[in-house]
């Protein structure tokens, strides 16, 4: 953890966090706010977003913004309007952290329910693309280098992972593609984090038989998200890293 005497890593940054009500998403949002960022919270439950808003304001003294979005139903024009609203309200977007995820149906391919399959891909992959696509022009226009962080699950190729596993594999591919496309301009850092196994509701659904007693809390992987958002990680681009192995806590010490 950074001492109080050290400068804030994300002072005056505007950062959009999707899946802000998830175990990791909410911790990312709070940690970034504590480091000086104004957080734009994206999730679908307005009541819970308002509660998180209060916590962030109390903890950081920085007022976040709330945008309720249901990734299952939102269309391309909704994300374009969101990006335009961010531009008009803040004039910039310095970071985009994709934490939203839907496990969907964990079942054999032959037993997959088609509607749920499509909805899972919509939340995990298509919505991620549409939001990124809408925000790119604004992020490319920032004075300092901006950042995009995707969240993956490297155990995506296991049996019964269904659309969840395929979407995570595709997210890693998207990360690499976007990193190559943005390398020359050097205006955006693009990386991917696998949090590993942590005590979240999502993990409990993917590993229903696992004992969560000895799993780390979501806060344990936040130093990795802070590191990839900070200028300390300026040399990393197009990487897919494990938060508990490749990015140890000591990087922020």
């Amino acid at each position: 953890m950074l001492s109080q005497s050290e400068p804030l890593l994300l002072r005056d940054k505007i950062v959009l966090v999707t899946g802000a009500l998830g175990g990791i998403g909410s911790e990312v949002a709070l940690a970034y706010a504590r480091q000086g960022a104004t957080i734009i919270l994206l999730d679908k439950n307005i009541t819970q977003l308002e509660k998180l808003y209060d916590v962030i304001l109390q903890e950081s003294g920085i007022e976040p913004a709330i945008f309720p979005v249901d990734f299952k139903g939102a269309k391309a024009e909704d994300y374009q309007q969101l990006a335009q609203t961010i531009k008009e309200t803040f004039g910039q977007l310095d970071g985009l952290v994709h934490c939203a995820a839907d496990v969907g149906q964990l079942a054999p391919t032959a037993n997959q329910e088609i509607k749920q399959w499509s909805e899972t891909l919509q939340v995990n992959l298509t919505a991620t693309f549409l939001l990124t696509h809408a925000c790119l022009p604004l992020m490319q226009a920032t004075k300092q280098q901006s950042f995009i962080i995707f969240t993956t699950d490297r155990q995506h190729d296991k049996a019964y992972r269904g659309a969840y596993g395929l979407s995570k594999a595709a997210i890693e591919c998207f990360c690499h593609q976007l990193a190559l496309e943005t390398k020359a301009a050097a205006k955006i850092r693009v990386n991917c984090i696998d949090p590993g196994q942590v005590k979240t509701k999502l993990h409990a659904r993917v590993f229903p038989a696992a004992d969560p007693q000895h799993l780390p809390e979501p806060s344990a992987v936040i130093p990795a998200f802070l590191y990839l958002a900070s200028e300390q990680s300026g040399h990393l681009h197009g990487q897919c890293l494990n938060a508990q192995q490749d990015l140890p806590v000591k990087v922020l010490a």
Side-chain angles (χ1 to χ4, degrees):
M1 236 181 126
L2 295 174
S3 69
Q4 294 298 316
S5 61
E6 294 183 33
L8 298 177
L9 291 175
L10 301 174
R11 183 186 298 276
D12 300 326
K13 302 290 187 183
I14 309 296
V15 182
L16 175 59
V17 179
T18 77
L21 296 177
I24 292 176
S26 59
E27 290 288 343
V28 168
L30 183 55
Y32 281 17
R34 286 170 175 160
Q35 289 295 332
T38 296
I39 306 301
I40 303 170
L41 303 168
L42 253 68
D43 216 306
K44 61 183 180 181
N45 188 316
I46 184 66
T47 302
Q48 293 302 315
L49 283 172
E50 289 173 344
K51 291 180 180 179
L52 180 57
Y53 171 103
D54 292 339
V55 172
I56 290 175
L57 183 58
Q58 181 178 2
E59 289 279 332
S60 68
I62 301 174
E63 184 177 8
I66 291 176
F67 284 93
V69 176
D70 186 349
F71 280 1
K72 288 184 180 180
K75 302 183 183 303
E77 51 267 30
D78 297 319
Y79 297 107
Q80 292 293 337
Q81 182 57 55
L82 171 60
Q84 182 62 30
T85 301
I86 293 172
K87 182 178 181 179
E88 293 172 355
T89 304
F90 300 104
Q92 67 190 71
L93 183 62
D94 304 287
L96 172 56
V97 185
H98 291 286
C99 293
D102 183 6
V103 173
Q105 184 183 19
L106 302 178
T109 299
N111 296 342
Q112 290 287 333
E113 200 278 315
I114 302 304
K115 184 176 183 291
Q116 192 165 15
W117 171 280
S118 298
E119 289 179 345
T120 304
L121 289 179
Q122 175 71 24
V123 172
N124 294 353
L125 180 59
T126 303
T128 300
F129 162 76
L130 291 174
L131 179 59
T132 303
H133 178 267
C135 291
L136 275 176
L138 187 54
M139 301 188 75
Q140 289 168 331
T142 56
K143 294 180 180 179
Q144 295 182 326
Q145 194 178 54
S146 56
F147 65 89
I148 297 175
I149 300 175
F150 296 96
T151 306
T152 188
D153 179 346
R154 278 182 159 173
Q155 298 195 47
H156 51 61
D157 58 350
K158 304 297 183 183
Y160 313 125
R161 289 295 191 268
Y164 169 77
L166 287 175
S167 66
K168 290 303 181 182
I171 283 297
E172 293 180 20
C173 182
F174 182 31
C175 173
H176 293 312
Q177 286 181 352
L178 189 57
L180 290 171
E181 293 167 6
T182 56
K183 182 177 181 180
K187 295 292 293 182
I188 306 175
R189 294 194 315 277
V190 182
N191 291 291
C192 192
I193 288 183
D194 174 9
Q197 297 197 34
V198 292
K199 193 183 298 183
T200 64
K201 292 181 180 178
L202 187 146
H203 180 274
R205 286 206 58 203
V206 177
F207 300 94
D211 181 2
Q213 182 177 353
H214 302 296
L215 291 177
E217 296 291 339
S219 58
V221 301
I222 297 307
F225 282 88
L226 280 168
Y227 179 66
L228 285 186
S230 73
E231 295 180 359
Q232 297 178 26
S233 65
H235 61 291
L236 295 176
H237 185 63
Q239 302 298 307
C240 189
L241 305 164
N242 185 291
Q244 299 185 49
Q245 299 174 9
D246 302 322
L247 294 171
V249 174
K250 66 181 180 181
V251 296
L252 288 176

